[in-house]
Amino acid sequence: MDTSISHLISSEAKRQSEVLEMIPSENYASSDVRAAVGSVFMNKYAEGQAMKRYYQGNSVVDELETLCKSRALRLFGLSEAVWGVNVQALSGSPANLAIIAALLEPGEKILSMYLPDGGHLSHGWQLPDKKITLVSKIWDITFYHVDTSTRLFDYDAIAAQAREVKPKLLISGGTAYPREIDHKRMSEIAHDVGAYYLADVSHEAGLIAGGVNASPFLYADVVMMTTHKTLRGPRGAMIFSKKELSAAIDQSVFPGIQGGPHEHTIAGIAVALEEAHSEGFKAYARQVVTNAQVLANYFVSAGLDVVSGGTDKHLVLIDLRSINASAWVVAWALEFANIIVNRNTVPFDTGSSVYPSGIRLGTPAITTRGMKEEEMKKIGVWIMDVIHLVKDMHLPEEKAERLAFIAQTKKEFAQHHELRAIADRVKSLCAAFPLP
Ligand code: DSN
């Protein structure tokens, strides 16, 4: 055994068990999922699709991948006659790249959500003077925004923009939009201008599987989801596409952008799909949303600016500008209190991606531990206590001063009595809710 690595694995397991993991895109996969990912399937090359491989020795892998795909279709109630599914994309960003490359010629137009409003990098993020992502270097990207006052999708505005831009692809979904998306309306907007509609439901996949968020499958041409967020599987992705698009998407994944698929991950995805096909998972998905709503309501009542006033999902986005608090300071103070969230851009952010104005937090992982409304109330109070403790601390504007402040603040937080007291309470709560 490599003692250095086994020591690090133990340290990370201890860290995960002693903190409230509240980054909304994270979760705890079951031991069965982890066993499948650590299995002998990692030793096999399996380029191509089942029964059409380039290498010998794939009879068992073929069975595995076929089973995984049929479980994926079953979980979302899809007919094999209408939908195809690809389970080989390594994760969400390569999956989106493969979809776009399959559907569009280079230079064609994409209309997608503006990243700081809650979109995703892989939907073509670029700055006015700099192409940041490969997608933005190859295709012509225009972004839509949320409404300035409600911070919700303004479907009429998106429709008007689509008529003007005439994209070949309309993308919805992202990382920090706390409300349900009207997939019917988005597909109509796309189809009215002759575009495909891609619903990226990476964040809410488990909530859709559990029946608490609306399914996009009646409307979208392609649905992409990662498998490690609310779906609680290993890190990976699945691309569902209308049958007539599936061959092009399969070829775009391999050989278009990837080599051999990670069959050990596909084994883990197959296990997660079976776990999600259960009454227990439906109850989990309901509790994820209930827990997030308890937290959102508490933060609203405590005077915070919860973006959109609440949540329909697993995530809560808080704009800290209304209380003039620094998201960097709050996120780090929370970490020293054993509560892990991420600092995040908010709609119409005046900060930057490194120093944005909000924090994003979510309930998938703590709900997997079995925490419910009662625990959410305690957690909400602890988070507010931390915010009150540090809300008057601000990052200096000037770079050298800022770096000195960051180093000094982390040292202070490590010794901070009140933060340590909250961290102890968090650890006790976590001890009562062991990891799967
Ligand atoms: N990084 C993921 C998230 O946190 O939402 C999306 O890719």
Side-chain angles (χ1 to χ4, degrees):
M1 184 65 182
D2 180 330
T3 50
S4 303
I5 299 302
S6 71
H7 172 70
L8 290 175
I9 292 171
S10 304
S11 301
E12 177 60 8
K14 182 171 183 301
R15 187 198 69 80
Q16 289 188 14
S17 76
E18 290 183 347
V19 302
L20 291 167
E21 188 52 78
M22 296 186 72
I23 292 174
S25 46
E26 295 185 2
N27 211 332
Y28 300 112
S30 70
S31 53
D32 285 353
V33 167
R34 287 189 282 129
V37 174
S39 71
V40 291
F41 280 115
M42 77 177 65
N43 299 330
K44 192 70 195 99
Y45 254 114
E47 286 160 339
Q49 294 294 317
M51 324 312 167
K52 291 183 234 157
R53 307 285 185 184
Y54 287 82
Y55 292 1
Q56 299 310 119
N58 274 308
S59 57
V60 184
V61 162
D62 282 354
E63 249 184 84
L64 167 73
E65 208 173 309
T66 304
L67 179 59
C68 183
K69 288 165 75 156
S70 71
R71 285 182 178 182
L73 294 173
R74 180 188 64 172
L75 182 63
F76 293 98
L78 305 175
S79 152
E80 209 183 326
V82 182
W83 286 91
V85 58
N86 183 299
V87 294
Q88 298 183 343
L90 299 181
S91 203
S93 294
N96 279 334
L97 177 60
I99 294 164
I100 296 167
L103 302 182
L104 274 65
E105 293 299 326
E108 288 192 309
K109 292 178 180 170
I110 299 172
L111 182 58
S112 64
M113 188 179 188
Y114 190 61
L115 178 67
D117 286 5
H120 192 252
L121 279 168
S122 64
H123 301 171
W125 179 238
Q126 60 188 9
L127 296 170
D129 56 352
K130 192 169 178 203
K131 307 278 188 198
I132 307 284
T133 55
L134 183 59
V135 169
S136 69
K137 290 179 186 169
I138 301 178
W139 290 280
D140 181 356
I141 315 295
T142 305
F143 298 115
Y144 58 87
H145 288 267
V146 291
D147 178 77
T148 42
S149 58
T150 61
R151 293 170 286 179
L152 300 174
F153 273 33
D154 178 344
Y155 294 97
D156 290 339
I158 298 170
Q161 206 177 355
R163 284 193 294 272
E164 192 188 318
V165 172
K166 295 189 182 54
K168 178 91 178 281
L169 178 68
L170 176 66
I171 309 179
S172 75
T175 59
Y177 188 66
R179 295 297 184 171
E180 287 233 47
I181 290 169
D182 183 344
H183 295 292
K184 180 169 186 289
R185 188 74 207 278
M186 289 299 276
S187 75
E188 286 164 359
I189 293 169
H191 296 158
D192 279 353
V193 298
Y196 294 109
Y197 174 43
L198 162 60
D200 178 344
V201 296
S202 293
H203 266 261
E204 46 284 88
L207 307 180
I208 295 165
V212 285
N213 273 189
S215 169
F217 286 100
L218 282 175
Y219 309 107
D221 302 292
V222 183
V223 176
M224 197 290 289
M225 63 186 67
T226 50
T227 46
H228 48 277
K229 299 185 173 90
T230 48
L231 204 49
R232 220 161 54 177
R235 310 193 82 81
M238 299 191 290
I239 305 169
F240 297 82
S241 56
K242 286 284 178 59
K243 207 74 186 182
E244 60 274 18
L245 304 174
S246 300
I249 286 176
D250 284 348
Q251 280 160 26
S252 190
V253 173
F254 171 84
I257 64 165
Q258 289 182 192
H262 293 184
E263 295 296 337
H264 52 303
T265 300
I266 292 172
I269 293 172
V271 173
L273 290 168
E274 184 67 13
E275 290 174 353
H277 188 67
S278 65
E279 287 308 313
F281 191 84
K282 284 186 185 147
Y284 163 72
R286 280 195 299 274
Q287 191 67 49
V288 165
V289 176
T290 302
N291 284 350
Q293 289 173 338
V294 170
L295 283 170
N297 291 341
Y298 173 71
F299 293 136
V300 169
S301 70
L304 294 185
D305 179 11
V306 172
V307 171
S308 83
T311 183
D312 300 329
K313 307 205 282 207
H314 59 301
L315 71 88
V316 181
L317 184 64
I318 300 170
D319 188 334
L320 291 167
R321 287 176 295 184
S322 68
I323 56 164
N324 194 27
S326 154
W328 185 92
V329 171
V330 168
W332 272 102
L334 284 168
E335 175 156 352
F336 281 94
N338 279 28
I339 300 172
I340 308 298
V341 305
N342 70 283
R343 55 193 201 277
N344 211 93
T345 54
V346 290
F348 313 105
D349 208 317
T350 40
S352 64
S353 53
V354 183
Y355 301 109
S357 303
I359 53 169
R360 185 185 68 151
L361 50 95
T363 52
I366 56 177
T367 307
T368 292
R369 296 182 90 138
M371 295 184 191
K372 295 198 167 126
E373 290 91 322
E374 198 186 321
E375 288 74 40
M376 295 309 117
K377 287 180 196 151
K378 287 185 192 158
I379 293 166
V381 170
W382 292 333
I383 290 174
M384 279 313 299
D385 286 349
V386 171
I387 291 175
H388 284 308
L389 281 171
V390 301
K391 85 185 224 342
D392 295 325
M393 297 175 68
H394 292 285
L395 281 167
E397 291 291 326
E398 203 273 316
K399 194 172 171 195
E401 277 179 45
R402 178 178 281 191
L403 293 178
F405 171 90
I406 286 173
Q408 179 59 25
T409 301
K410 286 188 190 170
K411 272 193 215 145
E412 279 172 24
F413 283 172
Q415 307 300 327
H416 198 294
H417 289 302
E418 282 106 327
L419 292 181
R420 288 173 71 163
I422 296 171
D424 286 341
R425 277 178 231 134
V426 168
K427 271 195 220 169
S428 305
L429 179 70
C430 288
F433 292 90
L435 297 188

